[in-house]
PDB file of all heavy atoms in Angstrom:
ATOM      1  N   ALA V  25       2.301  29.361 -15.314  1.00 57.00           N
ATOM      2  CA  ALA V  25       1.205  28.271 -15.385  1.00 57.00           C
ATOM      3  C   ALA V  25       0.823  28.252 -16.896  1.00 57.00           C
ATOM      4  O   ALA V  25       0.592  29.143 -17.552  1.00 57.00           O
ATOM      5  CB  ALA V  25       0.169  28.706 -14.477  1.00 57.00           C
ATOM      6  N   PHE V  26       0.640  26.902 -17.146  1.00 69.00           N
ATOM      7  CA  PHE V  26      -0.021  26.661 -18.555  1.00 69.00           C
ATOM      8  C   PHE V  26      -0.703  25.336 -18.412  1.00 69.00           C
ATOM      9  O   PHE V  26      -0.480  24.548 -17.517  1.00 69.00           O
ATOM     10  CB  PHE V  26       1.032  26.687 -19.641  1.00 69.00           C
ATOM     11  CG  PHE V  26       2.211  25.626 -19.509  1.00 69.00           C
ATOM     12  CD1 PHE V  26       2.153  24.375 -20.157  1.00 69.00           C
ATOM     13  CD2 PHE V  26       3.387  25.922 -18.770  1.00 69.00           C
ATOM     14  CE1 PHE V  26       3.105  23.485 -20.057  1.00 69.00           C
ATOM     15  CE2 PHE V  26       4.300  25.009 -18.601  1.00 69.00           C
ATOM     16  CZ  PHE V  26       4.214  23.810 -19.298  1.00 69.00           C
ATOM     17  N   SER V  28      -1.232  22.893 -21.114  1.00 86.00           N
ATOM     18  CA  SER V  28      -0.831  21.685 -21.866  1.00 86.00           C
ATOM     19  C   SER V  28       0.258  22.071 -22.840  1.00 86.00           C
ATOM     20  O   SER V  28       0.550  23.322 -22.955  1.00 86.00           O
ATOM     21  CB  SER V  28      -1.918  20.939 -22.512  1.00 86.00           C
ATOM     22  OG  SER V  28      -2.606  21.866 -23.403  1.00 86.00           O
ATOM     23  N   LYS V  34       3.973  19.442 -39.125  1.00 95.00           N
ATOM     24  CA  LYS V  34       4.102  20.117 -40.437  1.00 95.00           C
ATOM     25  C   LYS V  34       2.738  20.703 -40.752  1.00 95.00           C
ATOM     26  O   LYS V  34       1.732  19.929 -40.683  1.00 95.00           O
ATOM     27  CB  LYS V  34       4.588  19.125 -41.437  1.00 95.00           C
ATOM     28  CG  LYS V  34       4.811  19.722 -42.821  1.00 95.00           C
ATOM     29  CD  LYS V  34       5.344  18.682 -43.777  1.00 95.00           C
ATOM     30  CE  LYS V  34       5.619  19.358 -45.105  1.00 95.00           C
ATOM     31  NZ  LYS V  34       6.114  18.415 -46.098  1.00 95.00           N
ATOM     32  N   THR V  43      -7.007  28.171 -32.438  1.00 88.00           N
ATOM     33  CA  THR V  43      -8.343  27.844 -32.770  1.00 88.00           C
ATOM     34  C   THR V  43      -8.702  26.350 -32.396  1.00 88.00           C
ATOM     35  O   THR V  43      -9.814  26.167 -32.050  1.00 88.00           O
ATOM     36  CB  THR V  43      -8.893  28.153 -34.183  1.00 88.00           C
ATOM     37  OG1 THR V  43      -7.920  27.582 -35.107  1.00 88.00           O
ATOM     38  CG2 THR V  43      -8.798  29.707 -34.406  1.00 88.00           C
ATOM     39  N   GLU V  94     -27.464  32.667 -39.049  1.00 95.00           N
ATOM     40  CA  GLU V  94     -26.516  33.762 -39.301  1.00 95.00           C
ATOM     41  C   GLU V  94     -25.208  33.201 -39.981  1.00 95.00           C
ATOM     42  O   GLU V  94     -24.912  32.080 -39.738  1.00 95.00           O
ATOM     43  CB  GLU V  94     -26.237  34.551 -38.050  1.00 95.00           C
ATOM     44  CG  GLU V  94     -27.415  35.286 -37.475  1.00 95.00           C
ATOM     45  CD  GLU V  94     -27.828  36.384 -38.344  1.00 95.00           C
ATOM     46  OE1 GLU V  94     -27.047  37.272 -38.788  1.00 95.00           O
ATOM     47  OE2 GLU V  94     -29.063  36.512 -38.733  1.00 95.00           O
ATOM     48  N   ALA V  97     -19.295  34.135 -39.476  1.00 96.00           N
ATOM     49  CA  ALA V  97     -18.596  35.295 -38.863  1.00 96.00           C
ATOM     50  C   ALA V  97     -19.517  35.996 -37.789  1.00 96.00           C
ATOM     51  O   ALA V  97     -19.091  36.465 -36.698  1.00 96.00           O
ATOM     52  CB  ALA V  97     -18.349  36.341 -39.878  1.00 96.00           C
ATOM     53  N   VAL V 102     -20.882  36.908 -31.991  1.00 96.00           N
ATOM     54  CA  VAL V 102     -21.711  36.690 -30.817  1.00 96.00           C
ATOM     55  C   VAL V 102     -20.840  36.165 -29.589  1.00 96.00           C
ATOM     56  O   VAL V 102     -20.995  36.711 -28.451  1.00 96.00           O
ATOM     57  CB  VAL V 102     -22.857  35.697 -31.086  1.00 96.00           C
ATOM     58  CG1 VAL V 102     -23.639  35.344 -29.798  1.00 96.00           C
ATOM     59  CG2 VAL V 102     -23.907  36.431 -32.041  1.00 96.00           C
ATOM     60  N   VAL V 122     -22.062  36.179 -17.117  1.00 97.00           N
ATOM     61  CA  VAL V 122     -22.494  37.043 -18.222  1.00 97.00           C
ATOM     62  C   VAL V 122     -23.741  36.453 -18.937  1.00 97.00           C
ATOM     63  O   VAL V 122     -24.645  37.328 -19.140  1.00 97.00           O
ATOM     64  CB  VAL V 122     -21.296  37.237 -19.226  1.00 97.00           C
ATOM     65  CG1 VAL V 122     -21.774  37.883 -20.519  1.00 97.00           C
ATOM     66  CG2 VAL V 122     -20.261  38.166 -18.678  1.00 97.00           C
ATOM     67  N   TYR V 124     -26.023  34.524 -17.873  1.00 97.00           N
ATOM     68  CA  TYR V 124     -27.289  34.454 -17.017  1.00 97.00           C
ATOM     69  C   TYR V 124     -27.502  35.785 -16.310  1.00 97.00           C
ATOM     70  O   TYR V 124     -28.305  35.827 -15.417  1.00 97.00           O
ATOM     71  CB  TYR V 124     -27.135  33.279 -15.995  1.00 97.00           C
ATOM     72  CG  TYR V 124     -27.343  32.000 -16.643  1.00 97.00           C
ATOM     73  CD1 TYR V 124     -26.259  31.137 -16.856  1.00 97.00           C
ATOM     74  CD2 TYR V 124     -28.564  31.471 -17.089  1.00 97.00           C
ATOM     75  CE1 TYR V 124     -26.340  29.876 -17.519  1.00 97.00           C
ATOM     76  CE2 TYR V 124     -28.742  30.303 -17.701  1.00 97.00           C
ATOM     77  CZ  TYR V 124     -27.653  29.524 -17.843  1.00 97.00           C
ATOM     78  OH  TYR V 124     -27.829  28.221 -18.411  1.00 97.00           O
ATOM     79  N   SER V 127     -30.561  42.158 -15.758  1.00 89.00           N
ATOM     80  CA  SER V 127     -30.455  43.626 -15.670  1.00 89.00           C
ATOM     81  C   SER V 127     -31.879  44.300 -15.765  1.00 89.00           C
ATOM     82  O   SER V 127     -32.547  43.942 -16.750  1.00 89.00           O
ATOM     83  CB  SER V 127     -29.478  44.149 -16.742  1.00 89.00           C
ATOM     84  OG  SER V 127     -29.362  45.536 -16.647  1.00 89.00           O
ATOM     85  N   PHE V 133     -29.805  37.870 -22.468  1.00 95.00           N
ATOM     86  CA  PHE V 133     -29.945  37.168 -23.718  1.00 95.00           C
ATOM     87  C   PHE V 133     -31.182  36.361 -23.792  1.00 95.00           C
ATOM     88  O   PHE V 133     -31.570  35.663 -22.835  1.00 95.00           O
ATOM     89  CB  PHE V 133     -28.748  36.210 -23.867  1.00 95.00           C
ATOM     90  CG  PHE V 133     -27.413  36.864 -23.961  1.00 95.00           C
ATOM     91  CD1 PHE V 133     -26.566  36.942 -22.756  1.00 95.00           C
ATOM     92  CD2 PHE V 133     -26.876  37.398 -25.039  1.00 95.00           C
ATOM     93  CE1 PHE V 133     -25.336  37.484 -22.689  1.00 95.00           C
ATOM     94  CE2 PHE V 133     -25.714  38.097 -24.979  1.00 95.00           C
ATOM     95  CZ  PHE V 133     -24.968  38.119 -23.918  1.00 95.00           C
ATOM     96  N   SER V 166     -16.905  45.131 -29.386  1.00 94.00           N
ATOM     97  CA  SER V 166     -18.337  45.029 -29.284  1.00 94.00           C
ATOM     98  C   SER V 166     -18.787  44.392 -27.968  1.00 94.00           C
ATOM     99  O   SER V 166     -18.265  43.344 -27.474  1.00 94.00           O
ATOM    100  CB  SER V 166     -18.876  44.111 -30.385  1.00 94.00           C
ATOM    101  OG  SER V 166     -18.547  44.672 -31.626  1.00 94.00           O
ATOM    102  N   PHE V 168     -22.417  44.547 -27.319  1.00 95.00           N
ATOM    103  CA  PHE V 168     -23.789  44.304 -27.550  1.00 95.00           C
ATOM    104  C   PHE V 168     -24.035  43.748 -29.030  1.00 95.00           C
ATOM    105  O   PHE V 168     -23.256  44.133 -29.912  1.00 95.00           O
ATOM    106  CB  PHE V 168     -24.630  45.493 -27.309  1.00 95.00           C
ATOM    107  CG  PHE V 168     -24.346  46.297 -26.041  1.00 95.00           C
ATOM    108  CD1 PHE V 168     -23.433  47.315 -26.013  1.00 95.00           C
ATOM    109  CD2 PHE V 168     -24.859  45.840 -24.837  1.00 95.00           C
ATOM    110  CE1 PHE V 168     -23.131  47.966 -24.768  1.00 95.00           C
ATOM    111  CE2 PHE V 168     -24.585  46.480 -23.605  1.00 95.00           C
ATOM    112  CZ  PHE V 168     -23.695  47.531 -23.596  1.00 95.00           C
ATOM    113  N   TYR V 170     -27.679  43.216 -31.705  1.00 92.00           N
ATOM    114  CA  TYR V 170     -29.122  43.197 -31.770  1.00 92.00           C
ATOM    115  C   TYR V 170     -29.634  43.109 -33.244  1.00 92.00           C
ATOM    116  O   TYR V 170     -28.784  43.300 -34.209  1.00 92.00           O
ATOM    117  CB  TYR V 170     -29.716  44.526 -31.169  1.00 92.00           C
ATOM    118  CG  TYR V 170     -29.304  45.725 -31.774  1.00 92.00           C
ATOM    119  CD1 TYR V 170     -30.105  46.364 -32.749  1.00 92.00           C
ATOM    120  CD2 TYR V 170     -28.071  46.306 -31.405  1.00 92.00           C
ATOM    121  CE1 TYR V 170     -29.588  47.510 -33.296  1.00 92.00           C
ATOM    122  CE2 TYR V 170     -27.686  47.525 -31.965  1.00 92.00           C
ATOM    123  CZ  TYR V 170     -28.473  48.140 -32.997  1.00 92.00           C
ATOM    124  OH  TYR V 170     -27.944  49.290 -33.588  1.00 92.00           O
TER     125      TYR V 170
END
Side-chain angles (χ1 to χ4, degrees):
F26 61 95
S28 61
K34 186 177 179 182
T43 54
E94 292 295 310
V102 166
V122 164
Y124 288 104
S127 181
F133 299 100
S166 300
F168 310 98
Y170 62 96

